[in-house]
């Protein structure tokens, strides 16, 4: 614990059984301010609420959890505050801009009010929604229809005021999305135009909301894996890995060496195809269709490989708690070499067309700039943060699966504009290729799942030939992996940044709560501020360069 924090609050904080610092709610804002001012814990990773209605020995029904990383992104601390019957606490948006949407989500899902929040309204559920669906007593079979869309003027009016404008000025109001080729998914951005320039902007999500976290409360740990596929569906296996990695952390299991290397290989391949989608799409947005095909064709080859390996092209569901569903197929090494060669050729051809292209430079350089200080405060991670020159990569700052032993470089930008965000992704494709080549050379033989019948399914021959195997299979399928009681957060470096899961286990085979920390959520929250003052055409490229994936955005 930081000394300044400890000195002021040593009489007020307590440690819970899971290592969280518990503070009274009237001190939480002051505590976070000290951490921020001392440049100690400057990065708000995520926020969430917990409904302890079905739990025992808790002082209040609701609690709010704050996850923070230090200025070097290496140490993680958890702060927790219990919320009394007033169901209200102080907003921390004055300290962390990323808290704006995070607090709106908590209000929407749990009904906890944040005093002094600039715009506390629903964000995932529609404005006519009644109740708060992540409460444990919410009737999940209740259907709620939306009859009228939100005009968003309640958000636009105060934003205009901060710019010295009003809705009565000579402005044109325009909706970009949610059904629009340049909105990159079911995203709506409401803009106030002064000519071709965007004077103000606000964004709305929730069109794709399907209740990922609520669904997790009613399924066993392995049954949740296909749901994670649908978060960032452009790199589904990385979602599998992040979720399984978190559950395995609670279990305290160490994967077999072969399983670790397979996860690295398939995970980096998923990172590559995610970046290919982003780069191909943004190049189409600026009219460069030829580049699209150079980047998309090798991606199709990877999909053929993944289909052969997992049985599915897009949403693969390949991982399992404690390992993966099956081993690599015969001939995998030859296939992946072909894929990597085609990726290198495609990226090379695309770069030939744009690296020294004046039109490309004019469209991307000094467009959509975000400073590293603002990027950190708004919760950006991954390529979007590294484009600002911040060397935060969980594969390096908190390595897992032997990443510290691989020879690769962190791709960094310097300006934090559209150009840097694109070029960082181009470079990361090259670095991921390097990692895959090294991992294939070092890939050991051996088991692909932990040898524990309480975690991994037995071999089919055992299921079919002896009663112990049959019973192990039956119990794991119907009861699930029994995960020890815990409140635990763990993350990996996803394609778009820190992809983490905060899991609360009650000791059963079904999680009490699962909260995903999706990188796109915070990137999208920053987007309206990023495009104010720019032109519509630049706003389209800025959105593409952030690589917003709607599936993980509103879950």
């Amino acid at each position: 614990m930081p000394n300044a924090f400890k000195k002021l609050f040593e009489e007020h904080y307590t440690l819970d059984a899971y290592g969280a610092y518990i503070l009274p709610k009237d001190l939480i804002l002051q505590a976070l301010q000290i951490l921020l001012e001392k440049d100690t814990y400057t990065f708000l990773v995520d926020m969430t609420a917990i409904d302890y209605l079905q739990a025992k020995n808790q002082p209040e029904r609701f609690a709010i959890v704050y996850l923070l990383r230090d200025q070097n992104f290496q140490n993680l601390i958890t702060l927790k505050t219990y919320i009394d019957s007033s169901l209200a606490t102080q907003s921390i948006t004055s300290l962390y801009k990323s808290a704006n949407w995070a607090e709106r989500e908590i209000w929407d899902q749990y009904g906890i009010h944040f005093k002094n929040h600039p715009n506390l309204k629903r964000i995932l559920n529609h404005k006519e929604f009644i109740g708060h669906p992540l409460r444990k007593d919410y009737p999940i079979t209740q259907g709620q229809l939306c009859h009228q869309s939100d005009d968003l003027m309640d958000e636009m009016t105060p934003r205009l005021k901060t710019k010295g404008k009003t809705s009565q000025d000579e402005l044109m109001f325009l909706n970009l999305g949610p059904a629009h080729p340049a909105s990159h998914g079911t995203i709506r951005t409401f803009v106030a135009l002064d000519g071709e320039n965007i004077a103000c902007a606000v964004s709305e999500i929730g069109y794709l909301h399907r209740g990922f976290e609520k669904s997790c409360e009613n399924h066993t740990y392995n049954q949740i894996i296909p749901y994670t596929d649908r978060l960032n569906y452009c790199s589904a296996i990385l979602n599998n890995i992040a979720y399984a990695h978190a559950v395995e952390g609670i279990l305290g299991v160490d994967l077999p060496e072969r399983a670790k290397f397979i996860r690295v290989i398939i995970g980096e391949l998923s990172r590559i195809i995610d970046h290919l989608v982003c780069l191909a799409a943004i190049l189409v947005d600026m009219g460069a269709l030829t580049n699209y095909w150079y980047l998309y064709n090798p991606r199709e080859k990877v999909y053929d490989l993944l289909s052969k390996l997992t049985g599915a092209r897009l949403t693969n569901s390949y991982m399992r708690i404690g390992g993966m569903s099956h081993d690599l197929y015969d001939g995998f090494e030859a296939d992946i070499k072909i894929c990597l060669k085609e990726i290198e050729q495609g990226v090379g051809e695309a770069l030939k067309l744009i690296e020294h292209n004046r039109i490309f430079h004019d469209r991307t350089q000094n467009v959509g700039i975000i400073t590293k200080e603002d990027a950190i405060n708004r919760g950006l991670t991954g390529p979007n943060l590294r484009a600002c020159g911040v060397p935060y990569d969980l594969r390096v700052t908190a390595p897992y699966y032997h990443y510290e032993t691989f020879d690769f470089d962190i791709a960094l930008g310097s300006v934090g504009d559209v150009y840097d965000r694109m070029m960082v992704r181009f470079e990361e494709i090259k670095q991921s290729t390097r990692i895959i080549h090294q991992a294939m050379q070092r890939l050991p033989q051996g088991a692909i799942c932990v040898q524990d019948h309480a975690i991994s399914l037995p071999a089919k021959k055992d299921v079919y030939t002896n009663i112990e195997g049959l019973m192990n299979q039956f119990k794991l399928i119907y009861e699930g992996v029994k995960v020890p009681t815990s409140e635990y957060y763990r993350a990996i470096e996803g394609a778009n940044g820190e992809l983490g899961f905060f899991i609360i286990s009650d000791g059963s085979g079904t999680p009490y709560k699962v909260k995903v920390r999706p990188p796109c959520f915070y990137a999208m929250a920053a987007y309206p501020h990023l495009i104010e003052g720019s032109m519509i055409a630049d706003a389209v490229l800025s959105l593409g360069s952030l690589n917003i994936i709607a599936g993980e955005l509103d879950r």
Side-chain angles (χ1 to χ4, degrees), residues 19 30 47 64 72 113 124 194 217 254 286 355 382 407 437 449 454 461 466 546 549:
Q30 192 177 0
M47 290 174 58
I64 295 178
N72 298 317
H113 184 80
L124 298 182
D194 184 0
E217 297 175 9
D254 187 33
M286 66 179 75
E355 270 187 314
D407 182 21
H437 281 304
C449 293
K461 63 180 180 62
N466 67 73
L546 293 173
I549 307 298

Side-chain angles (χ1 to χ4, degrees), residues 50 146 218 281 344 346 355 363 380 452 463 488:
I50 306 170
C146 179
N218 302 294
E344 290 170 358
E355 270 187 314
R363 290 298 311 277
L380 267 64
D452 185 338
V463 177
Y488 185 80

Side-chain angles (χ1 to χ4, degrees), residues 340-407:
L340 293 177
K341 185 176 181 180
E342 296 209 11
I343 289 166
E344 290 170 358
Q345 289 176 344
V347 168
E349 294 297 330
L351 284 172
K352 284 180 184 178
L353 294 173
I354 62 174
E355 270 187 314
H356 304 291
N357 186 314
R358 176 66 181 273
I359 297 173
F360 173 76
H361 289 177
D362 288 346
R363 290 298 311 277
T364 59
Q365 291 181 352
N366 298 313
V367 173
I369 296 174
I370 184 167
T371 65
K372 65 179 182 181
E373 294 81 11
D374 201 28
I376 291 170
N377 196 255
R378 292 188 182 278
L380 267 64
T381 55
N384 296 327
L385 181 59
R386 292 191 284 274
C388 305
V390 181
Y392 174 39
D393 187 323
L394 280 165
R395 295 173 296 177
V396 176
T397 57
Y400 50 94
Y401 303 152
H402 303 307
Y403 267 110
E404 69 277 12
T405 67
F406 289 100
D407 182 21

Side-chain angles (χ1 to χ4, degrees), residues 463-481:
V463 177
Y464 295 145
T465 58
N466 67 73
I467 190 62
E468 289 81 6
L470 179 61
M471 291 172 64
N472 287 331
Q473 165 101 357
F474 182 87
K475 288 181 70 64
L476 274 176
I477 293 297
Y478 280 88
E479 297 179 4
V481 179

